[in-house]
Amino acid sequence: MKILITGGAGFIGSHVVRRFVTKYPAYQIFNLDALTYAGNLENLKDIQKSENYTFLKGDITDAKYIDSIFKEYNFDSVIHLAAESHVDRSITDPLAFVKTNVIGTMNLLNSAKESWKNNFKGKRFYHVSTDEVYGSLGANGLFTESTSYDPNSPYSASKASSDHFVRAYGETYGLPYIITNCSNNYGPNHFPEKLIPLFINNIIHKKSLPVYGDGNYTRDWLFVEDHATAIDLAYHKGENHETYNIGGFNEWKNIDLVKLLCKLMDVKLNQKEGESEKLITYVKDRPGHDLRYAIDASKINKELGWEPSVTFEQGLEKTIDWFLQNQDWLDNVTSGDYKEYYSKMYQ
Ligand code: NAD
Ligand code: DAU
């Protein structure tokens, strides 16, 4: 079995690659990544020498290159995670999101269709997507697999578009696909421009914690390794042409989450309780900020038997410990371009 995993040097992709390389030694895992600012091979240094692992540096927007690697390696399946993934960046540069998330996905679909055209049996195009395609919930209700798409940010519009193309290739050409739509992930290797790792890093460096708007926005948080487990299950046991929602039934208002994080960080850093909370600063809201996301993950639970393995408190503690033990990683990824991004975004 030759599996092409795209975006494997990123946050979630690195956990998926590690899981497949170590759990399935009989599979050949090819990690294709352009190593953008979010891609980091340090995330995979523990498995980089494994016999069943190959890294391919390349860009999914390059159709010729994608065609050439399908011809060279004859992949049996694709697990597609490569994307521009940060909502704030999509507000300042929407076209970059169309290029990678829409055109890049199209290139993979075209090459897979061409490569598998004589026999789709046993092939699978697994597209990793987000709950943000469903738009924003009010105070009540959950996103189910039949909730209509209603994306609000350029990021979620580009992901919604890629989901539609994957489905369309299934309907039109019979391409065997699966889509999963997951809620907010957190955990080791999370790039520190997203809420949780950004705030951990800022607490370590005693910098302000920029809470957007009034902080009353709600997200549904899932530990990244539980997402990787769900992807493993859906890849092996999911039905073709189906969508599965993945989430932790774990909703937090941003401000409550930030206060919990501050409390845990005070303990870990041996500080007086309340020290980190003093860093909270309310800043200008994100334009088009979705009020609430919350996933109904009962389909994947009932049909595939998946459930999260850790509570939020356990996952958050593991995450904080990882960042405190890996400050070199943090220092490396927050040098250079990151500094420029941070000062443009927050100052
Ligand atoms: P990330 O930004 O951490 O990583 C993305 C990876 O894709 C990086 O390694 C980057 O180098 C690579 N990449 C970007 N553009 C590329 C291109 N043109 N060609 C090849 N590689 C390219 O993202 P993440 O948070 O790990 O998200 C992974 C996937 O999961 C995305 O598709 C995202 O939409 C989806 N998702 C993320 C979350 C979340 O909370 N982070 C939740 C649900 C779904
Ligand atoms: O829901 C899944 C999505 O979760 C994924 O598809 C995206 O790839 C991923 O980035 C994430 O999107 P969010 O926009 O929800 O994540 P982010 O960490 O950027 O923000 C989480 C919440 O915290 C959101 O309400 C905005 C707020 N926030 C974020 C940052 C970076 C702040 O208040 N301050 C900040 O500095």
Side-chain angles (χ1 to χ4, degrees), residues 7 9-13 32-36 38-40 58-61 81-85 100 128-130 155 159 182-185 190 194 227:
F11 166 46
I12 302 170
L32 166 65
D33 200 296
L35 300 182
T36 69
N40 184 353
D59 194 321
I60 59 168
T61 65
L81 295 107
E84 287 290 341
S85 71
T100 287
V128 176
S129 192
T130 170
Y155 163 67
K159 290 297 290 187
C182 189
S183 63
N184 284 63
N185 285 216
H190 204 178
K194 309 278 177 80
H227 188 186

Side-chain angles (χ1 to χ4, degrees), residues 67-101:
D67 249 353
S68 73
I69 58 169
F70 269 83
K71 285 197 180 104
E72 183 172 354
Y73 298 107
N74 276 314
F75 305 118
D76 296 294
S77 57
V78 176
I79 304 179
H80 174 36
L81 295 107
E84 287 290 341
S85 71
H86 189 30
V87 173
D88 290 325
R89 286 185 187 252
S90 82
I91 295 166
T92 50
D93 187 8
L95 197 55
F97 285 67
V98 175
K99 286 181 184 152
T100 287
N101 300 358

Side-chain angles (χ1 to χ4, degrees), residues 306-324:
W306 174 84
E307 59 184 10
S309 68
V310 292
T311 64
F312 190 48
E313 285 72 10
Q314 289 167 333
L316 209 48
E317 192 169 350
K318 278 188 182 199
T319 305
I320 293 170
D321 287 344
W322 187 86
F323 277 98
L324 290 175

Side-chain angles (χ1 to χ4, degrees), residues 35-38 89 191 193 331-345:
L35 300 182
T36 69
Y37 77 95
R89 286 185 187 252
F191 195 77
E193 64 182 9
D331 292 344
N332 287 344
V333 300
T334 53
S335 59
D337 286 355
Y338 180 87
K339 284 195 177 132
E340 202 185 314
Y341 162 81
Y342 194 89
S343 64
K344 264 200 205 138
M345 183 70 200

Side-chain angles (χ1 to χ4, degrees), residues 55-275:
F55 175 66
L56 304 170
K57 185 171 185 306
D59 194 321
I60 59 168
T61 65
D62 181 347
K64 273 199 188 135
Y65 172 74
I66 299 299
D67 249 353
S68 73
I69 58 169
F70 269 83
K71 285 197 180 104
E72 183 172 354
Y73 298 107
N74 276 314
F75 305 118
D76 296 294
S77 57
V78 176
I79 304 179
H80 174 36
L81 295 107
E84 287 290 341
S85 71
H86 189 30
V87 173
D88 290 325
R89 286 185 187 252
S90 82
I91 295 166
T92 50
D93 187 8
L95 197 55
F97 285 67
V98 175
K99 286 181 184 152
T100 287
N101 300 358
V102 185
I103 309 286
T105 302
M106 291 286 297
N107 290 338
L108 288 163
L109 286 167
N110 284 333
S111 297
K113 172 168 84 68
E114 179 60 25
S115 168
W116 302 338
K117 67 183 174 201
N118 294 328
N119 190 2
F120 281 145
K121 197 159 181 280
K123 310 295 187 206
R124 173 158 280 181
F125 191 99
Y126 184 141
H127 181 59
V128 176
S129 192
T130 170
D131 60 358
E132 298 203 12
V133 297
Y134 298 123
S136 183
L137 290 163
N140 300 307
L142 300 171
F143 296 132
T144 71
E145 288 79 1
S146 54
T147 302
S148 301
Y149 276 30
D150 191 16
N152 292 314
S153 72
Y155 163 67
S156 50
S158 69
K159 290 297 290 187
S161 171
S162 64
D163 291 12
H164 289 320
F165 276 110
V166 174
R167 260 198 203 94
Y169 273 56
E171 290 304 311
T172 308
Y173 308 111
L175 188 85
Y177 76 86
I178 279 199
I179 300 174
T180 50
N181 296 83
C182 189
S183 63
N184 284 63
N185 285 216
Y186 69 97
N189 311 95
H190 204 178
F191 195 77
E193 64 182 9
K194 309 278 177 80
L195 181 75
I196 291 180
L198 174 74
F199 280 28
I200 292 175
N201 189 35
N202 283 12
I203 292 172
I204 294 172
H205 293 100
K206 309 237 171 308
K207 285 167 76 174
S208 67
L209 307 178
V211 172
Y212 295 162
D214 60 7
N216 283 320
Y217 294 89
T218 298
R219 297 291 181 268
D220 176 358
W221 293 92
L222 180 70
F223 191 56
V224 63
E225 287 173 14
D226 283 328
H227 188 186
T229 313
I231 289 175
D232 181 353
L233 254 184
Y235 174 82
H236 287 99
K237 300 209 168 120
E239 289 287 330
N240 280 332
H241 296 221
E242 285 288 332
T243 288
Y244 299 89
N245 280 352
I246 306 170
F249 288 108
N250 177 41
E251 288 182 52
W252 284 79
K253 280 202 166 134
N254 290 344
I255 190 61
D256 296 337
L257 185 161
V258 170
K259 286 184 177 166
L260 171 65
L261 188 63
C262 287
K263 227 182 233 164
L264 293 172
M265 287 296 287
D266 284 344
V267 174
K268 295 283 176 189
L269 296 174
N270 289 318
Q271 297 178 162
K272 245 188 10 225
E273 189 172 338
E275 213 38 43

Side-chain angles (χ1 to χ4, degrees), residues 42-54:
E42 242 192 279
N43 294 344
L44 291 167
K45 61 177 187 241
D46 54 324
I47 57 110
Q48 70 189 357
K49 295 207 170 103
S50 306
E51 274 182 16
N52 64 338
Y53 173 71
T54 306

